[in-house]
Amino acid sequence: MAKINRRQFLVLSAAGAGSAIFASYTQRRASYSQGSSNSPLDLSKLHHSSNGLLELDLEASESPVNLGGKRAYLLTYNGHIPAPRLEAKPGDKVRIHFTNNLSQPTNLHYHGLHIPPTGKADNVFLRINPGEKFTYEFDLAKNQAEGTFWYHPHLHGLVAEQLFGGLAGLFIVRGELDEIPEIKAAKEEFLVLQDFALDNYGRPMDSGHMSLMMGREGDLIAVNGQINPSFSLPANGLLRLRILNGSTSRFYRLSLENHPFYQIATDGNSLNEPIEVSELLLTPGQRADVLVKGDRQPGQYRLLNLPYDRGGMGMMGGGMMCGRGMMGGGMMCDRGMMDRNDRNATIALATVNYESSVKSIDLPNKITSIPALPEPMQVRHFELNHGMTPAVGMAFLINGEPYSGELINTQVRLDTVEDWEITNTGVMDHPFHVHVNSFQVISRNGRSESLPAWRDTVLVRRGETVRIRIRFQDFTGKTVYHCHILDHEDLGMMGIMKIR
Ligand code: C2O
Ligand code: CU
Ligand code: CU
């Protein structure tokens, strides 16, 4: 094994099970070559509900995949990067027969869905060991928002590593929104944005080569598992892009050459009406639904990822967490890492090609009407910070506490409305995510937010205070809130909330 510095050692021991991934790849490859096929696993890329039931087998395993023309050994659900897209409607029952064939424990989280955080539903405290099976079962509420949600592993300590290995897929809830004539007439495409860093054998780079403090980023950016794929836009028509940032830490600042975006949803929730934006910043965990009008000179346009500076430790001018000194001599990252994290590069993520003309479609006017939440009964304060603690090294904290796994940090009452004021006193941006209930952003640094929108993840930039308003509805039990830079979450920036 390569040399392990103190920081990596701490991270590995924090992960508990450790990272025995290397060994298991070798095993898996052996079993593939023996042609092991004992389960009648349905390997299709789309599973939708019928007669009110979405039921499928889902297997997490290390699998050989083709990633941008290269052989890679990634972590997959049912062998696909990204994972199969699931589609259901409000009121449907969901039953997922899950098998963990990874070499590590794992579980499933249904990001953004309004379902119970307990039992066989969105229970992030479950631990499904290697070789074990578990059947997830829950009902989507009749009032479940229609939109773009997703699923990914959520076992504290291993979330970043498993997501970076590729484990992420869309969970689409369809309904009336999709029946709005203009939206229905639009051509629909799904864009799952993931980044990867592969070693010479095509395996995910191990954490020793990643900047965990900054949050690991890879140099290979895939859209639906492909490098720079093409999408077609009907001339005069509309293209509906449903975009997920399924990356562990990378932010995307998207812009389509010569075309504004007309945003119709934030995370899994529709906006009142389309909002014209020239760029779209998506932090890890966030989604956006946008319409693009095919009203320009027919041709080819690039979907660009523009530079974004999400902060850093200020050690290298540019903000990289590289170099000696932080952790008493351990190398934080190597030269290759710096190149991978070059934030000044503009990259083409995908290409949009005009295709033959259709009868012209207008933008929809009214989409929904977002109610204002009542005044809060309580205001709570959360401070996001990172500090050095003698025992743990670099810790990522909320209100001075790292995630403990047991301690309940926040107790709230069902059917109440609260304002949460989240202050980032650190040197990096942190996207703050709350499970189970969506929220509205009320203000940023005291300035009230003008766009009414529901979100489940909000960016709190360094130095900023963001106030969100949240109503705890329908479900009691323990759940979590955390930074969605998943290395930060794994390093402690998560709290437990109990809804009573
Ligand atoms: Cu997408 Cu708690 O996570
Ligand atoms: Cu979530
Ligand atoms: Cu963070």
Side-chain angles (χ1 to χ4, degrees):
M1 191 153 203
K3 59 179 185 296
I4 288 187
N5 67 32
R6 180 163 152 263
R7 179 185 58 90
Q8 291 162 18
F9 173 73
L10 290 166
V11 169
L12 287 172
S13 34
S19 303
I21 260 181
F22 188 102
S24 86
Y25 273 112
T26 325
Q27 283 168 19
R28 291 290 301 173
R29 266 182 296 171
S31 72
Y32 272 101
S33 56
Q34 287 154 20
S36 88
S37 67
N38 35 30
S39 71
L41 195 63
D42 179 357
L43 291 176
S44 58
K45 294 184 187 168
L46 168 66
H47 295 263
H48 54 80
S49 59
S50 56
N51 301 320
L53 175 66
L54 171 67
E55 183 166 26
L56 66 138
D57 291 333
L58 195 73
E59 182 200 24
S61 68
E62 294 112 357
S63 307
V65 298
N66 178 321
L67 188 74
K70 283 191 211 145
R71 185 74 146 176
Y73 297 90
L74 298 178
L75 306 186
T76 66
Y77 293 121
N78 292 359
H80 291 298
I81 298 290
R85 186 169 90 236
L86 311 184
E87 295 199 358
K89 300 194 178 87
D92 282 352
K93 179 177 282 302
V94 178
R95 196 179 292 136
I96 299 178
H97 305 281
F98 179 69
T99 305
N100 179 11
N101 276 330
L102 303 173
S103 60
Q104 304 176 323
T106 190
N107 62 17
L108 287 178
H109 166 51
Y110 305 91
H111 181 128
L113 288 183
H114 183 60
I115 54 175
T118 49
K120 298 176 177 177
D122 192 20
N123 184 348
V124 296
F125 302 102
L126 285 174
R127 180 188 179 97
I128 301 165
N129 285 313
E132 281 181 7
K133 293 176 188 295
F134 186 83
T135 298
Y136 284 91
E137 190 164 339
F138 52 87
D139 295 319
L140 295 180
K142 289 261 193 296
N143 66 353
Q144 167 65 53
E146 294 140 14
T148 307
F149 302 90
W150 64 301
Y151 61 102
H152 64 79
H154 214 294
L155 191 72
H156 178 67
L158 296 172
V159 184
E161 178 176 337
Q162 293 183 359
L163 203 95
F164 200 68
L167 293 171
L170 288 167
F171 194 121
I172 301 294
V173 181
R174 291 204 185 268
E176 283 162 30
L177 167 69
D178 305 272
E179 299 303 320
I180 294 174
E182 297 85 353
I183 294 178
K184 194 172 185 172
K187 180 159 192 266
E188 184 183 48
E189 296 282 4
F190 300 87
L191 278 68
V192 178
L193 310 181
Q194 292 171 293
D195 62 337
F196 298 93
L198 302 179
D199 67 13
N200 293 336
Y201 303 96
R203 292 179 302 240
M205 203 77 87
D206 74 58
S207 58
H209 292 92
M210 301 267 109
S211 171
L212 302 190
M213 306 296 157
M214 211 33 231
R216 65 191 86 192
E217 291 191 15
D219 54 341
L220 265 178
I221 303 184
V223 177
N224 302 337
Q226 293 166 271
I227 310 298
N228 195 2
S230 294
F231 296 95
S232 57
L233 165 59
N236 302 317
L238 289 176
L239 175 62
R240 176 186 187 187
L241 301 177
R242 307 176 67 145
I243 312 170
L244 159 67
N245 182 349
S247 282
T248 310
S249 320
R250 185 181 280 277
F251 286 36
Y252 295 90
R253 192 177 142 222
L254 303 173
S255 130
L256 178 60
E257 290 177 316
N258 292 16
H259 294 73
F261 296 121
Y262 298 92
Q263 188 167 7
I264 56 170
T266 46
D267 293 339
N269 301 273
S270 330
L271 292 168
N272 286 333
E273 67 257 317
I275 304 293
E276 181 178 335
V277 291
S278 58
E279 14 178 287
L280 203 57
L281 181 66
L282 284 185
T283 73
Q286 290 184 322
R287 290 86 68 213
D289 268 32
V290 300
L291 297 173
V292 175
K293 279 168 115 171
D295 60 356
R296 300 298 151 99
Q297 177 69 35
Q300 261 197 358
Y301 298 90
R302 293 176 303 166
L303 176 67
L304 299 173
N305 188 27
L306 305 173
Y308 179 79
D309 176 11
R310 58 186 180 87
M313 303 308 283
M315 305 266 319
M316 304 283 292
M320 275 303 297
M321 264 300 291
C322 296
R324 278 154 286 132
M326 277 308 294
M327 295 294 295
M331 276 291 286
M332 299 304 287
C333 49
D334 54 29
R335 177 69 213 169
M337 193 59 217
M338 293 179 62
D339 294 338
R340 275 195 289 281
N341 275 336
D342 183 0
R343 290 168 210 170
N344 296 316
T346 292
I347 316 163
L349 296 182
T351 306
V352 172
N353 292 309
Y354 271 69
E355 64 176 14
S356 48
S357 166
V358 296
K359 191 160 139 276
S360 92
I361 314 173
D362 283 333
L363 291 170
N365 296 313
K366 190 81 190 139
I367 299 173
T368 188
S369 68
I370 298 177
L373 285 171
E375 288 298 308
M377 295 177 62
Q378 178 158 7
V379 181
R380 264 177 227 275
H381 300 272
F382 295 87
E383 186 188 312
L384 311 180
N385 201 352
H386 25 85
M388 298 293 282
T389 57
V392 214
M394 183 67 134
F396 283 74
L397 312 169
I398 300 183
N399 289 343
E401 299 281 347
Y403 180 74
S404 76
E406 281 146 36
L407 197 80
I408 290 166
N409 306 86
T410 305
Q411 296 225 31
V412 302
R413 285 215 158 267
L414 191 66
D415 292 322
T416 61
V417 175
E418 294 196 0
D419 273 11
W420 286 14
E421 205 162 72
I422 307 141
T423 301
N424 179 351
T425 58
V427 295
M428 293 177 234
D429 292 0
H430 298 296
F432 188 81
H433 169 52
V434 187
H435 287 207
V436 185
N437 294 284
S438 294
F439 52 79
Q440 297 180 5
V441 176
I442 299 300
S443 66
R444 224 172 245 283
N445 283 343
R447 292 188 47 189
S448 57
E449 181 93 341
S450 52
L451 179 71
W454 290 105
R455 301 172 190 277
D456 56 54
T457 307
V458 63
L459 174 58
V460 187
R461 293 184 181 85
R462 47 204 189 274
E464 249 181 5
T465 294
V466 172
R467 185 187 272 241
I468 63 174
R469 189 160 294 170
I470 182 164
R471 184 187 351 226
F472 305 99
Q473 268 187 305
D474 303 320
F475 310 115
T476 55
K478 270 194 330 179
T479 188
V480 292
Y481 49 87
H482 58 90
C483 175
H484 217 289
I485 290 177
L486 294 167
D487 281 301
H488 295 174
E489 175 276 308
D490 281 340
L491 292 168
M493 197 174 272
M494 175 152 77
I496 296 185
M497 158 169 63
K498 186 169 181 183
I499 309 172
R500 300 184 294 143

